[in-house]
């Protein structure tokens, strides 16, 4: 193997020749997809073509939260093919997430999580294709994913909260803040210094936390008596909000259901900024905590909503917040232009409500088609209900008789079964385009071949371009997608790189070698299929070893795996990527380091010895 280049696969040789001929450039690589991607014309009128034929590409990037798998997934829409997984709050042996030093530095010892809400960063009310943000309900963190590499690049721990749930980025003028809610109330602080309140639920509080998107650090927390469930921001950069279902401060189900009303709580950003500037906060566990409690504060406004409400979603024209009643069969429509007057005390909070139409049993979340219609998921009925916002408001004006006829209901679609979130394409932006709807159903029962007691969830795709919702496709998903967004391909695709910038990683290796300082050994190594930059490394038992590997292969889609036999180490590096691991060479013997990610006709020969001497 004197000249490894002569041993490359034919395709690679071709690509290299093509590169020399100028077809492959540093700036952009011509991929076969540019030739094959054209999908047939959009159908419309309820006749969209959902088939993505071999070689064709999807029209939308779907970003799915993976629930208690702790990850984020990329799903192509409308094919519903799972295209990629982005590890976040989990351990992923496929990529080495939770194994490499780079990922461990972000995870700080917590490689388990529970993601619920993925949202993109915004400029002027629509996605800018820069970041995704996702919550971890388990360990109370927020992660940021950089879209160019589709990798988690920052994780912030949020103090003073539990049940980090609803998350939403600022939509206007751009995402500087991201809000995250605490679904569970706890003592604040929740440690021995406050032990007197452990058994006193009246002294448990919720928090609406504001995070700086650029720095990924907590800006402040607004403390409230209630719990803070789902989150939303308006389209003007003035308000964020949360639903609360436990205004009772209950600690049992029956206590949490005692009241007929809970709240949509609105947070006034201008007043929050002023209170911060005026120093009106207490610093608790490093976070500036503002008092947003009823009767203590002008930072918050409470709009009463029946009963144990869940989702809150803003219509794409920025006019309405739609709150789902969950235990009430209604949704509550709040007109956002009235909030200024309500905060100024000119009208009562409940005067912001402009409609409260009947939807069905167990309304949870609402999405929008951008043509004045809302679609609400109804858990107990197992339906997606399409309804017209203007008609609901009109009937409310006309009174009870008009309301009884339910003039707002456009269509009711049965789903299979028990829907949580639903989302339409681009629906959380001002560019909602009303093409596709995904119903993230919690239960699949009989929809797939039986795989044992633990069955997949069932994501159902509907064409929403016509008057009626047209269900076209079922897609099983691994436990458990909670929520998703679907972003037009032209927003995301130009931002996504085929290879990383090699020197983004400060330790990128250009020359292989071993450095020793006493018992500390650093192995620097290149990988270029089918060769590691070293053929063997000799260690002494007890050495503390850091192995840094950089993939030097310039070919797009040529990744290398680095696995150390019997040392429980395995990670993968994409083109120009660097990752490192640190371990103690505690087992003497000969251990093969080998490539796990098929890379070459001589992939199996891509291995080297680690010799741990006594
Ligand atoms: S919640 S089923 Cu975690 Cu988004 Cu509503
Ligand atoms: Ca309640």
């Amino acid at each position: 193997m004197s000249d490894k280049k002569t041993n490359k696969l034919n395709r690679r040789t071709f690509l290299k020749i093509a590169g020399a001929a100028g077809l492959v450039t540093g700036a952009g690589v011509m991929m076969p997809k540019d030739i094959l991607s054209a999908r047939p014309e959009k159908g419309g009128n309820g006749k969209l073509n959902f088939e993505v034929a071999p070689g064709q590409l999807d029209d939308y990037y779907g970003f799915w939260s993976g629930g208690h798998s702790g990850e984020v997934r990329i799903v192509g829409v409308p094919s519903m093919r799972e295209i990629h997984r982005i590890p976040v709050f989990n351990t992923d042996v496929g990529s080495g997430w939770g194994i490499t030093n780079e990922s461990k530095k972000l995870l700080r010892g917590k490689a388990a999580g529970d993601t619920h809400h993925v949202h993109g960063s915004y400029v002027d009310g629509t996605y800018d294709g820069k970041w995704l943000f996702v919550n971890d309900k388990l360990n109370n963190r927020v992660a940021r994913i950089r879209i160019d590499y589709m990798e988690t690049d920052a994780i912030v721990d949020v103090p003073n909260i539990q049940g980090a749930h609803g998350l939403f980025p600022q939509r206007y003028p751009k995402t500087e803040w991201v809000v995250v809610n605490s679904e569970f109330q706890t003592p604040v602080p929740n440690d021995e210094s406050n032990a007197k309140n452990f058994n006193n639920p009246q002294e448990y509080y919720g928090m609406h936390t504001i995070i700086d998107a650029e720095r990924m650090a907590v800006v402040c927390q607004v403390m409230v008596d209630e719990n803070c469930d789902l989150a939303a921001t308006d389209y003007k950069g003035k308000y964020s909000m949360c639903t609360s279902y436990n205004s009772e401060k209950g600690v049992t189900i029956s206590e949490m259901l005692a009241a007929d009303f809970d709240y949509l709580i609105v947070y006034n950003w201008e007043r929050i900024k002023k209170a911060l500037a005026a120093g009106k906060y207490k610093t608790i566990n490093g976070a500036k905590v503002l008092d947003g409690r009823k009767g203590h504060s002008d930072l918050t406004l409470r709009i009463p909503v029946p009963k144990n409400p869940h989702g809150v979603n803003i219509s794409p024209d920025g006019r309405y917040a739609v709150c789902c009643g969950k235990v009430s069969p209604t949704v509550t429509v709040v007109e956002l232009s009235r909030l200024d007057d309500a905060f100024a005390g000119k009208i009562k909070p409940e005067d912001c409500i402009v409609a409260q139409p009947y939807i069905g049993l167990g309304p949870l979340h609402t999405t929008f088609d951008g043509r004045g219609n809302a679609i609400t998921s109804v858990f107990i009925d197992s339906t997606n209900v399409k309804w017209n916002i203007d008609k609901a408001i009109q009937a409310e004006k006309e009174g009870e008789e008009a309301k009884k006829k339910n003039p707002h209901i456009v269509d009711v679609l049965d789903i299979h079964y028990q829907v949580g979130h639903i989302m339409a394409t681009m629906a959380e932006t001002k560019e909602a385009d009303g093409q596709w709807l995904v119903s993230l159903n919690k239960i699949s029962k009989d929809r797939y071949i039986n795989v044992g007691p633990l069955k997949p969830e069932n994501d159902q795709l509907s064409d929403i371009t016509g008057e009626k919702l047209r269900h076209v496709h079922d897609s099983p998903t691994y436990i458990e997608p909670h929520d998703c967004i679907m972003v037009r391909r032209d927003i995301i695709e130009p931002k996504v790189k085929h290879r990383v910038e090699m020197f983004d990683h400060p330790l990128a290796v250009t020359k292989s070698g071993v450095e020793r300082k006493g018992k500390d050994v650093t192995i620097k190594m290149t990988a270029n299929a089918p060769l590691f930059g070293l053929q063997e490394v000799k260690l002494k038992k007890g050495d503390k070893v850091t192995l840094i590997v950089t993939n030097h292969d310039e070919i797009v889609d040529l990744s290398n795996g680095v696995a150390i036999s019997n040392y429980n180490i395995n990670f993968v590096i994409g083109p120009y990527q660097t990752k490192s691991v640190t371990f103690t060479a505690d087992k003497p013997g000969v251990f093969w380091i080998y490539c796990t990610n098929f890379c070459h006709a001589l992939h199996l020969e891509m291995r080297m010895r680690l010799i741990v001497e006594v």
Side-chain angles (χ1 to χ4, degrees):
M1 226 187 311
S2 51
D3 178 7
K4 67 186 174 61
K5 285 203 171 140
T6 60
N7 285 318
K8 302 272 177 184
L9 291 169
N10 286 341
R11 178 176 160 270
R12 300 194 58 204
T13 312
F14 162 74
L15 283 170
K16 283 200 167 143
I17 296 164
L23 292 173
V24 182
T25 67
V29 180
M30 258 186 70
M31 299 288 281
K33 65 167 189 249
D34 295 322
I35 305 152
L36 292 168
S37 64
R39 270 175 40 76
E41 290 285 289
K42 289 198 167 141
N45 274 332
K47 293 188 187 112
L48 278 186
N49 180 8
F50 69 95
E51 276 183 322
V52 179
Q56 289 182 342
L57 299 183
D58 283 293
D59 298 327
Y60 296 87
Y61 281 79
F63 297 107
W64 257 239
S65 85
H68 40 293
S69 74
E71 65 194 11
V72 167
R73 302 182 191 144
I74 304 178
V75 174
V77 176
S79 74
M80 301 296 280
R81 297 177 293 199
E82 183 189 297
I83 298 173
H84 188 51
R85 296 179 171 194
I86 305 169
V88 189
F89 306 112
N90 62 337
T91 304
D92 176 49
V93 186
S95 63
W97 191 257
I99 295 170
T100 61
N101 292 339
E102 291 75 15
S103 55
K104 282 177 164 171
K105 199 175 149 198
L106 295 178
L107 290 165
R108 295 185 281 277
K110 292 175 282 189
D114 183 15
T115 63
H116 285 232
H117 305 109
V118 194
H119 288 286
S121 53
Y122 289 81
V123 167
D124 188 20
T126 194
Y127 300 121
D128 66 352
K130 192 172 180 193
W131 290 317
L132 300 169
F133 300 93
V134 65
N135 72 307
D136 172 19
K137 185 168 166 177
L138 174 67
N139 284 315
N140 301 298
R141 296 174 285 180
V142 172
R144 186 179 70 190
I145 292 165
R146 53 186 288 182
I147 286 180
D148 57 353
Y149 297 170
M150 293 296 184
E151 276 190 1
T152 305
D153 79 334
I155 295 177
V156 54
D157 289 284
V158 182
N160 305 322
I161 69 164
Q162 272 177 39
H165 191 223
L167 169 145
F168 216 96
Q170 178 180 357
R171 285 192 246 227
Y172 183 88
K174 64 174 187 142
T175 299
E176 287 175 10
W177 284 1
V178 176
V179 299
V180 64
N181 286 331
S182 62
E183 192 192 324
F184 309 146
Q185 292 128 302
T186 58
V188 179
N190 191 17
D191 56 33
E192 56 272 35
S193 70
N194 198 14
K196 64 175 191 302
N197 284 322
F198 289 177
N199 290 302
N200 180 11
Q202 286 310 306
E203 290 293 327
Y204 294 2
Y205 297 100
M207 294 278 185
H208 184 67
T209 300
I210 297 173
I211 289 165
D212 183 303
E214 182 84 44
R215 293 186 296 119
M216 286 298 279
V218 173
V219 174
C220 66
Q221 304 188 288
V222 185
M223 186 173 98
V224 293
D225 280 300
E226 301 81 358
N227 75 327
C228 304
D229 190 15
L230 270 295
T233 60
D234 69 351
Y235 278 85
K236 292 191 166 157
K238 291 172 75 171
Y239 300 112
S240 55
M241 48 207 92
C242 75
T243 48
S244 170
Y245 62 79
N246 187 22
S247 56
E248 298 92 340
K249 283 181 177 270
V251 291
T252 64
I253 281 194
S254 57
E255 287 169 6
M256 293 180 205
L257 285 163
D260 285 336
F261 288 83
D262 295 281
Y263 296 114
L264 174 71
I265 306 178
V266 186
Y267 300 82
N268 185 317
W269 285 15
E270 203 184 296
R271 291 185 184 177
I272 288 172
K273 282 177 189 163
K274 275 195 190 144
L276 280 174
K280 289 187 186 160
Y281 55 80
K282 266 195 212 155
T283 302
I284 305 175
N285 288 315
K288 295 172 178 171
V289 178
L290 302 162
D291 193 342
R293 290 177 299 166
K294 201 178 189 172
H296 291 75
S297 167
D298 67 350
L299 307 177
T300 49
L301 183 81
R302 284 165 181 75
I303 299 172
V305 177
K307 173 183 183 172
N308 283 37
H310 188 52
V312 52
N313 297 86
I314 311 295
S315 60
D317 57 11
R319 293 179 66 189
Y320 304 110
V322 178
C323 256
C324 284
K326 194 168 76 185
V327 181
S328 159
T330 58
V331 296
T332 297
V333 183
V334 169
E335 188 165 25
L336 299 180
S337 65
R338 301 189 183 197
L339 291 176
D340 286 349
D341 281 351
F343 266 104
K346 291 181 194 157
I347 58 171
K348 291 205 218 92
E350 49 270 40
D351 295 336
C352 299
I353 298 170
V354 291
Q356 214 153 52
Y358 173 87
I359 298 291
L361 290 184
L364 289 185
H365 294 280
T366 298
T367 191
F368 305 93
D369 70 358
R371 296 185 288 271
N373 300 302
I375 305 156
T376 297
S377 63
V378 186
F379 181 84
I380 298 173
D381 284 351
S382 278
T383 54
N384 294 164
V385 175
K386 177 176 172 182
W387 55 280
N388 184 276
I389 302 172
D390 284 342
K391 284 192 179 152
I393 295 170
Q394 185 57 32
E396 192 79 38
K397 278 187 198 143
E398 288 171 18
E400 281 312 307
E401 276 309 303
K403 270 184 84 173
K404 259 189 220 149
K405 295 188 195 126
N406 290 326
H408 59 290
I409 304 273
V410 182
D411 191 28
V412 179
L413 177 74
D414 284 326
I415 55 87
H416 315 82
Y417 307 89
Q418 261 78 40
V419 56
H421 278 268
I422 55 175
M423 187 61 76
T425 44
M426 296 294 290
E428 289 294 337
T429 75
K430 66 176 188 186
E431 298 183 304
D433 62 8
Q435 298 288 301
W436 300 105
L437 172 79
V438 169
S439 182
L440 300 169
N441 307 325
K442 305 283 188 191
I443 306 283
S444 64
K445 285 192 218 179
D446 49 4
R447 303 292 284 190
Y448 302 103
I449 50 177
N450 187 7
V451 291
L454 200 57
K455 310 212 186 316
E457 322 311 328
N458 188 23
D459 294 351
Q460 292 187 303
L461 181 76
S462 293
D463 173 355
I464 57 169
T465 56
E467 169 94 350
K468 296 205 174 300
L469 307 171
R470 184 173 66 99
H471 168 222
V472 297
H473 186 73
D474 276 18
S475 171
T477 45
Y478 187 63
I479 46 176
E480 181 202 322
H482 274 255
D483 193 8
C484 70
I485 56 169
M486 287 171 278
V487 185
R488 277 195 340 260
R489 188 173 130 201
D490 64 279
I491 296 174
I492 301 295
E493 196 174 41
K495 307 269 183 184
V496 186
K497 303 222 163 82
H498 287 289
R499 52 174 92 81
V500 305
E501 291 295 327
M502 190 180 286
F503 296 100
D504 272 4
H505 197 299
L507 303 178
V509 177
T510 50
K511 201 167 170 295
S512 302
V514 180
E515 287 162 22
R516 172 180 285 279
K517 273 188 207 134
K519 285 203 144 309
D520 290 326
V521 179
T522 305
I523 306 169
K524 295 180 179 170
M525 202 161 78
T526 59
N528 198 337
L531 276 177
F532 288 119
L534 298 167
Q535 287 287 278
E536 62 174 53
V537 170
K538 285 193 176 158
L539 298 171
K540 283 262 175 259
K541 186 186 172 202
D543 280 347
K544 198 172 170 236
V545 187
T546 297
L547 169 67
I548 312 165
V549 192
T550 302
N551 179 355
H552 276 257
D553 220 302
E554 75 271 34
I555 301 294
V556 164
D557 197 11
L558 218 156
S559 299
N560 287 123
V562 183
I564 310 180
S565 305
N566 286 351
Y567 266 88
N568 199 36
I569 286 170
N570 188 8
F571 59 92
V572 80
I573 33 179
Y576 290 4
Q577 201 170 28
T578 301
K579 288 181 187 171
S580 63
V581 287
T582 299
F583 62 98
T584 304
D586 51 6
K587 291 181 284 283
V590 175
F591 302 94
W592 286 97
I593 298 182
Y594 68 99
C595 175
T596 47
N597 202 89
F598 192 95
C599 60
H600 193 277
L602 296 174
H603 163 68
L604 295 174
E605 287 85 348
M606 186 167 175
R607 54 191 168 106
M608 60 177 276
R609 284 180 304 160
L610 188 73
I611 303 166
V612 182
E613 296 177 330
V614 236

